[in-house]
Amino acid sequence: MKIVRTVQDLRRELDEARADGRGRVGFVPTMGALHEGHLSLVRAARAENDVVVLSIFVNPTQFTEAADLSGYPRQEAADAALAEGAGVDLIFAPEASEVYPSGFATTVHLSGALTETLEGAARGGAHFDGVATVVAKLLLAVGADAAYFGQKDAQQVLVVTRMVADLGIPTRIVACPTSRDDDGLARSSRNVRLSAEDRTRALAIPRALAAAAAAVSGGEASAEAVHGVAAAVLADAGIEPEYLAFVDPASLEPVRTMDAPVLCAIAARVGEVRLIDNAVIEPVAGTEGGAA
């Protein structure tokens, strides 16, 4: 495994791989602080490609809170060891000046519900501008056949998929299932900042998702009623969500009835740590097709 810092070196390594007959490239973009969730994406990429590239870049333009940016863990040596063990061939770990050189003046902006609701509303429009811009730059630098993202960041997956389609970037976007710890908590680099007490409280988030799904399985079709069920689980743990939303999984438009697959998305602070999670809730058999 090699670590490269510049786009020029990245492309040289990939050109050499293609010349050796290893033409199919899979890409896993990360901000480092790797955990099992990232490694599951690497394994998915490894299974389908000849070469696996993983990027490590803490993107400053997608952070709306300076403390979140400064506090984001940076552990390249540990990350490199994990990446190599999971089957990564090449790590792209650029400096900020490589991604945003002097005079950089371009932003990729998507409008509409995909970027203006949920995380866009909570974190501001600049968040997804930062995400779209850096992912576009990384995809163009790597030239991968496929890029792998976790479904925990469901809105990000939709934004990236829309951007790739709109800009004609020839990379297939693959959404992989949310990786969870044995207790059900969605894996996140932020989880290490949870105290033992807050870690226990945070388990109310996946429990709320499960309670919502159970309510629908039990025949409840009102999104408002299901919202109440999930909100009660969070409240019992002393968690006030930033949002608890029931939306169309493709458009993120709000829904009123649970008669088609619905994305339930939650964002909440537990202690000082902001967590997100989601699940697609399937309707009771035979109720699909109604008006949302």
Side-chain angles (χ1 to χ4, degrees), residues 127-208:
H127 170 68
F128 281 119
D129 287 353
V131 170
T133 301
V134 76
V135 172
K137 291 214 66 176
L138 291 171
L139 292 178
L140 292 171
V142 177
D145 296 276
Y148 298 78
F149 294 81
Q151 187 60 30
K152 179 178 78 71
D153 298 294
Q155 188 173 12
Q156 175 177 272
V157 173
L158 290 173
V159 167
V160 170
T161 301
R162 180 75 266 164
M163 177 199 69
V164 164
D166 289 352
L167 298 183
I169 298 175
T171 299
R172 179 171 59 97
I173 302 303
V174 181
C176 298
T178 299
S179 178
R180 298 184 181 277
D181 285 326
D182 291 341
D183 58 11
L185 190 65
R187 291 189 169 104
S188 168
S189 301
R190 294 182 171 87
N191 289 355
V192 297
R193 294 161 50 194
L194 291 166
S195 68
E197 179 182 354
D198 285 340
R199 168 80 192 212
T200 299
R201 291 176 58 225
L203 296 179
I205 296 175
R207 285 203 306 270

Side-chain angles (χ1 to χ4, degrees), residues 25-292:
V25 176
F27 176 44
V28 180
T30 83
M31 294 201 296
L34 301 186
H35 51 69
E36 175 57 29
H38 298 110
L39 301 183
S40 69
L41 302 181
V42 171
R43 288 192 289 271
R46 181 77 277 166
E48 297 181 347
N49 298 278
D50 303 312
V51 178
V52 175
V53 179
L54 179 139
S55 65
I56 298 175
F57 180 63
V58 182
N59 178 36
T61 66
Q62 71 189 68
F63 286 86
T64 53
E65 298 181 16
D68 205 14
L69 173 60
S70 63
Y72 200 88
R74 293 162 172 82
Q75 50 188 49
E76 186 178 295
D79 287 345
L82 289 171
E84 185 171 21
V88 169
D89 298 294
L90 193 60
I91 290 178
F92 179 45
E95 298 292 335
S97 59
E98 178 71 12
V99 179
Y100 303 114
S102 177
F104 189 85
T106 300
T107 297
V108 179
H109 173 77
L110 286 78
S111 59
L114 287 187
T115 56
E116 295 170 0
T117 61
L118 304 180
E119 289 297 285
R123 302 178 68 171
H127 170 68
F128 281 119
D129 287 353
V131 170
T133 301
V134 76
V135 172
K137 291 214 66 176
L138 291 171
L139 292 178
L140 292 171
V142 177
D145 296 276
Y148 298 78
F149 294 81
Q151 187 60 30
K152 179 178 78 71
D153 298 294
Q155 188 173 12
Q156 175 177 272
V157 173
L158 290 173
V159 167
V160 170
T161 301
R162 180 75 266 164
M163 177 199 69
V164 164
D166 289 352
L167 298 183
I169 298 175
T171 299
R172 179 171 59 97
I173 302 303
V174 181
C176 298
T178 299
S179 178
R180 298 184 181 277
D181 285 326
D182 291 341
D183 58 11
L185 190 65
R187 291 189 169 104
S188 168
S189 301
R190 294 182 171 87
N191 289 355
V192 297
R193 294 161 50 194
L194 291 166
S195 68
E197 179 182 354
D198 285 340
R199 168 80 192 212
T200 299
R201 291 176 58 225
L203 296 179
I205 296 175
R207 285 203 306 270
L209 295 173
V216 174
S217 294
E220 181 57 66
S222 164
E224 182 178 4
V226 178
H227 182 285
V229 169
V233 174
L234 296 174
D236 284 346
I239 296 175
E240 176 67 30
E242 288 186 11
Y243 60 75
L244 168 57
F246 293 83
V247 297
D248 182 277
S251 69
L252 301 186
E253 295 289 349
V255 302
R256 296 191 303 274
T257 55
M258 310 290 286
D259 52 11
V262 172
L263 178 71
C264 177
I266 298 174
R269 289 190 181 275
V270 182
E272 298 299 317
V273 182
R274 186 177 187 274
L275 302 175
I276 63 171
D277 201 353
N278 67 81
V280 174
I281 299 176
E282 299 289 340
V284 176
T287 63
E288 295 94 334

